[in-house]
mmCIF file of all heavy atoms in Angstrom:
data_model
loop_
_atom_site.group_PDB
_atom_site.id
_atom_site.type_symbol
_atom_site.label_atom_id
_atom_site.label_comp_id
_atom_site.label_asym_id
_atom_site.label_seq_id
_atom_site.Cartn_x
_atom_site.Cartn_y
_atom_site.Cartn_z
ATOM 1 N N ALA A 55 10.887 3.585 -1.851
ATOM 2 C CA ALA A 55 12.131 4.203 -2.322
ATOM 3 C C ALA A 55 12.501 3.744 -3.732
ATOM 4 O O ALA A 55 13.589 4.041 -4.213
ATOM 5 C CB ALA A 55 13.270 3.882 -1.360
ATOM 6 N N VAL A 65 15.516 1.480 -9.513
ATOM 7 C CA VAL A 65 16.871 1.812 -9.086
ATOM 8 C C VAL A 65 17.544 0.552 -8.568
ATOM 9 O O VAL A 65 16.889 -0.467 -8.312
ATOM 10 C CB VAL A 65 16.876 2.905 -7.998
ATOM 11 C CG1 VAL A 65 16.295 4.196 -8.531
ATOM 12 C CG2 VAL A 65 16.134 2.433 -6.750
ATOM 13 N N SER A 66 18.829 0.603 -8.393
ATOM 14 C CA SER A 66 19.556 -0.556 -7.882
ATOM 15 C C SER A 66 19.138 -0.841 -6.443
ATOM 16 O O SER A 66 18.607 0.027 -5.732
ATOM 17 C CB SER A 66 21.060 -0.301 -7.924
ATOM 18 O OG SER A 66 21.422 0.697 -6.977
ATOM 19 N N GLU A 67 19.400 -2.065 -6.007
ATOM 20 C CA GLU A 67 19.094 -2.445 -4.629
ATOM 21 C C GLU A 67 19.869 -1.574 -3.644
ATOM 22 O O GLU A 67 19.326 -1.158 -2.613
ATOM 23 C CB GLU A 67 19.427 -3.920 -4.424
ATOM 24 C CG GLU A 67 19.006 -4.462 -3.071
ATOM 25 C CD GLU A 67 19.140 -5.967 -3.001
ATOM 26 O OE1 GLU A 67 18.367 -6.670 -3.672
ATOM 27 O OE2 GLU A 67 20.034 -6.439 -2.250
ATOM 28 N N ALA A 68 21.120 -1.280 -3.972
ATOM 29 C CA ALA A 68 21.933 -0.444 -3.084
ATOM 30 C C ALA A 68 21.352 0.962 -2.953
ATOM 31 O O ALA A 68 21.307 1.529 -1.857
ATOM 32 C CB ALA A 68 23.368 -0.368 -3.614
ATOM 33 N N GLU A 69 20.885 1.537 -4.059
ATOM 34 C CA GLU A 69 20.274 2.869 -4.028
ATOM 35 C C GLU A 69 18.977 2.859 -3.239
ATOM 36 O O GLU A 69 18.699 3.778 -2.453
ATOM 37 C CB GLU A 69 20.030 3.367 -5.455
ATOM 38 C CG GLU A 69 19.285 4.691 -5.551
ATOM 39 C CD GLU A 69 20.073 5.889 -5.040
ATOM 40 O OE1 GLU A 69 21.313 5.765 -4.885
ATOM 41 O OE2 GLU A 69 19.457 6.939 -4.810
ATOM 42 N N GLU A 70 18.173 1.807 -3.428
ATOM 43 C CA GLU A 70 16.923 1.706 -2.669
ATOM 44 C C GLU A 70 17.212 1.645 -1.169
ATOM 45 O O GLU A 70 16.552 2.314 -0.363
ATOM 46 C CB GLU A 70 16.140 0.465 -3.111
ATOM 47 C CG GLU A 70 14.777 0.339 -2.431
ATOM 48 C CD GLU A 70 14.004 -0.904 -2.833
ATOM 49 O OE1 GLU A 70 14.558 -1.757 -3.568
ATOM 50 O OE2 GLU A 70 12.844 -1.034 -2.399
ATOM 51 N N MET A 71 18.195 0.862 -0.778
ATOM 52 C CA MET A 71 18.554 0.754 0.637
ATOM 53 C C MET A 71 19.051 2.083 1.186
ATOM 54 O O MET A 71 18.697 2.473 2.306
ATOM 55 C CB MET A 71 19.626 -0.320 0.824
ATOM 56 C CG MET A 71 19.126 -1.739 0.721
ATOM 57 S SD MET A 71 20.454 -2.917 1.114
ATOM 58 C CE MET A 71 19.589 -4.485 0.990
ATOM 59 N N GLU A 72 19.873 2.783 0.407
ATOM 60 C CA GLU A 72 20.402 4.070 0.863
ATOM 61 C C GLU A 72 19.272 5.069 1.096
ATOM 62 O O GLU A 72 19.254 5.787 2.109
ATOM 63 C CB GLU A 72 21.382 4.612 -0.173
ATOM 64 C CG GLU A 72 22.059 5.911 0.238
ATOM 65 C CD GLU A 72 23.053 6.423 -0.792
ATOM 66 O OE1 GLU A 72 23.457 5.632 -1.659
ATOM 67 O OE2 GLU A 72 23.398 7.619 -0.725
ATOM 68 N N ARG A 73 18.330 5.129 0.159
ATOM 69 C CA ARG A 73 17.190 6.037 0.308
ATOM 70 C C ARG A 73 16.360 5.678 1.536
ATOM 71 O O ARG A 73 15.926 6.553 2.300
ATOM 72 C CB ARG A 73 16.305 5.977 -0.939
ATOM 73 C CG ARG A 73 16.910 6.563 -2.197
ATOM 74 C CD ARG A 73 15.973 6.347 -3.371
ATOM 75 N NE ARG A 73 16.479 6.902 -4.626
ATOM 76 C CZ ARG A 73 15.841 6.830 -5.780
ATOM 77 N NH1 ARG A 73 14.657 6.223 -5.850
ATOM 78 N NH2 ARG A 73 16.359 7.354 -6.872
ATOM 79 N N LEU A 74 16.128 4.380 1.744
ATOM 80 C CA LEU A 74 15.318 3.952 2.875
ATOM 81 C C LEU A 74 16.003 4.211 4.206
ATOM 82 O O LEU A 74 15.351 4.604 5.186
ATOM 83 C CB LEU A 74 14.963 2.468 2.735
ATOM 84 C CG LEU A 74 13.874 2.145 1.711
ATOM 85 C CD1 LEU A 74 13.813 0.657 1.432
ATOM 86 C CD2 LEU A 74 12.508 2.656 2.181
ATOM 87 N N ARG A 96 12.043 -6.462 -2.992
ATOM 88 C CA ARG A 96 13.335 -7.131 -2.846
ATOM 89 C C ARG A 96 13.491 -7.733 -1.443
ATOM 90 O O ARG A 96 13.446 -7.007 -0.441
ATOM 91 C CB ARG A 96 14.460 -6.141 -3.114
ATOM 92 C CG ARG A 96 14.531 -5.705 -4.581
ATOM 93 C CD ARG A 96 15.456 -4.543 -4.774
ATOM 94 N NE ARG A 96 15.772 -4.338 -6.195
ATOM 95 C CZ ARG A 96 15.938 -3.140 -6.752
ATOM 96 N NH1 ARG A 96 15.836 -2.035 -6.015
ATOM 97 N NH2 ARG A 96 16.223 -3.040 -8.031
#
Side-chain angles (χ1 to χ4, degrees):
V65 297
S66 69
E67 186 170 291
E69 175 68 16
E70 184 181 6
M71 285 185 178
E72 184 179 343
R73 291 176 179 180
L74 284 168
R96 291 169 166 144

